[in-house]
């Protein structure tokens, strides 16, 4: 809690107000209001609630690179890794316990509504942070500077402000003209496409390989949960040789290996779930960190984050659909897995480009 309260909130009261509404950011299922509506408001509520919390997740995801860049300018990758670990843990835990809770509580509604509780707890923590920041600003100081004595953080913030001013005139048009904008978007798009495709189809592929439905569910849990650890480890590679090529490539290759493995030796699905999950967890951290690192100012980072994530999730939404259509047309998973592996290879190619700074 001490570390949470010690982070400054000088120039972005609006961002924190938005985060209070978005509460857990991406602890799936996300915000309490949407979750409760989805659980108890009938058929219409299912759609309305989904739109509410899905919108909150989307906006929250856009804000994360901005917050990471501003509050942890020297530790962007580690801050992003911690965030990724939290959302991955939440997703894996929710998926693992959903069936059991539904059985114990006599239906899916109460099991789903339970996940409105964690966001409320997280909202309380964010509220404490905002109150602390407001009190500090009321006395004309920042939370890190109790007696207005210059510190290393204040020097860093001053430098950051000068950098922001230098690039304040950059517009969306200039952002669209930068090749790096599209490399970041393609990297996140290919990563997200593979992740959501496997999250939807891995249990079916596992069952087709001869595993029971229960074991197939465990494979999915491994795929999603192992990313917690790989996401926390990948920041160690984010500055090898002064760029992010090593981290981007290291996080991309495992999905290629997993895709080939699922085609050649599907009986070893637990191994491919582990390898693919490790790659996906790491590449998500790299993708989000790159958004923060490639943004040239706070406002530029907001625009880049919004553009890259909107376009990349649009790309990702086609992945599960394409996988299913190809499976239906061919009568097997081979072609579908081949296409997914090709997308993973494309991610490796983009990694070589997005990892190089465009400054």
């Amino acid at each position: 809690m001490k570390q949470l309260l010690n982070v400054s909130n000088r120039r972005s009261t609006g961002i924190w107000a938005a985060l209070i509404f978005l509460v857990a950011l991406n602890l799936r299922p996300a915000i309490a209001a949407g979750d409760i509506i989805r659980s108890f408001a009938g058929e219409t509520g299912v759609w309305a609630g989904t739109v509410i919390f899905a919108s909150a997740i989307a906006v929250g995801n856009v804000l994360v690179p901005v917050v990471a860049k501003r509050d942890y300018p020297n530790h962007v990758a580690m801050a992003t890794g911690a965030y990724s670990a939290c959302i991955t843990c939440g997703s894996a835990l929710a998926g693992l316990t959903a069936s059991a809770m539904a059985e114990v509580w006599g239906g899916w509604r109460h099991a789903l509504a339970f996940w409105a509780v964690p966001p409320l707890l997280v909202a309380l923590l964010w509220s404490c942070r905002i109150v602390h920041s407001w009190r500090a600003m009321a006395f004309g100081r920042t939370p890190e500077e109790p007696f207005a004595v210059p510190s290393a953080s204040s020097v860093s913030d001053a430098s950051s402000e000068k950098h922001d001013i230098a690039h304040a005139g950059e517009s969306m048009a200039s952002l669209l003209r930068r090749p790096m904008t599209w490399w970041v978007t393609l990297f996140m798009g290919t990563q997200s496409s593979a992740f959501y495709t496997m999250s939807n189809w891995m249990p079916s592929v596992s069952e087709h390989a001869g595993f029971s439905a229960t074991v197939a569910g465990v494979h999915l849990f491994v795929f999603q949960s192992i990313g917690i650890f790989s996401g926390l480890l990948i920041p160690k590679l984010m500055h090898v040789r002064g760029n992010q090529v090593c981290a981007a490539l290291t996080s991309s290759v495992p999905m290629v290996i997993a895709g080939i493995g699922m085609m050649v030796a599907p009986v070893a699905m637990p191994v491919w779930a582990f390898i693919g999950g490790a790659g996906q967890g790491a590449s998500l951290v790299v993708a989000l960190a790159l958004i923060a690192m490639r943004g040239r100012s706070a406002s530029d980072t907001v625009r880049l984050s919004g553009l890259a994530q909107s376009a990349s999730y649009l790309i990702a939404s086609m992945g599960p659909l394409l996988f299913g259509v190809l499976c239906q047309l061919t009568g097997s998973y081979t072609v579908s897995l081949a296409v997914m592996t090709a997308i993973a290879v494309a991610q490796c190619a983009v990694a070589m480009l997005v990892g190089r700074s465009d400054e």
Side-chain angles (χ1 to χ4, degrees), residues 90-101 115 217-218 221 224:
S91 297
L93 185 61
L96 185 66
T97 59
S99 179
M101 289 197 305
W115 292 100
V218 173
F221 173 74
Q224 293 183 329

Side-chain angles (χ1 to χ4, degrees), residues 286-323:
V286 173
L288 290 174
L290 284 171
I291 292 175
M293 298 171 77
R294 297 299 182 257
R296 294 176 174 175
S297 66
S299 57
D300 187 60
T301 302
V302 172
R303 287 191 291 264
L304 177 59
S305 183
L307 174 64
Q309 294 198 55
S310 298
S312 64
Y313 286 129
L314 179 62
I315 295 171
S317 68
M318 301 301 295
L321 176 63
L322 179 61
F323 192 98

Side-chain angles (χ1 to χ4, degrees), residues 48-70:
T50 299
V51 169
I52 291 173
F53 79 70
S55 299
I57 288 174
V59 178
N61 274 343
V62 170
L63 291 175
V64 167
V66 182
V67 174
K69 182 181 182 69
R70 188 203 62 200

Side-chain angles (χ1 to χ4, degrees), residues 10 29 42 56 70 72 99 107 132 184 211 260 335:
R10 291 176 296 284
R70 188 203 62 200
Y72 306 95
S99 179
H132 180 78
V184 170
F211 295 95
I260 294 173
V335 175

Side-chain angles (χ1 to χ4, degrees), residues 46-174:
V46 171
W47 292 101
T50 299
V51 169
I52 291 173
F53 79 70
S55 299
I57 288 174
V59 178
N61 274 343
V62 170
L63 291 175
V64 167
V66 182
V67 174
K69 182 181 182 69
R70 188 203 62 200
D71 288 348
Y72 306 95
N74 298 321
H75 304 283
V76 169
M78 186 56 68
T80 306
Y83 163 76
S84 175
C86 289
I87 62 172
T88 302
C89 183
S91 297
L93 185 61
L96 185 66
T97 59
S99 179
M101 289 197 305
E103 185 175 346
V104 170
W105 290 338
W108 63 270
R109 295 183 184 277
H110 292 88
L112 193 62
F114 169 81
W115 292 100
V117 176
L120 293 177
L121 298 177
V122 176
L124 178 61
L125 296 179
W126 283 106
S127 299
C128 292
R129 172 173 176 165
I130 287 184
V131 170
H132 180 78
S133 298
W134 282 344
R135 286 178 177 176
M137 289 186 291
F139 288 97
R141 58 179 173 80
T142 67
E144 302 98 316
E145 304 168 336
F147 302 107
V149 177
S151 64
S153 62
S154 65
V155 174
S156 174
D157 289 332
S159 175
S160 177
E161 284 183 358
K162 290 179 181 178
H163 185 269
D164 286 359
I165 293 173
H167 293 282
E170 293 187 356
S171 63
M172 177 61 77
S174 64

Side-chain angles (χ1 to χ4, degrees), residues 21 35 46 51 87 91 132 183 233 284 292 295 309 331-332 341:
F21 174 71
D35 205 20
V46 171
V51 169
I87 62 172
S91 297
H132 180 78
W183 298 140
L233 292 174
L284 173 60
Q309 294 198 55
S332 74
T341 304

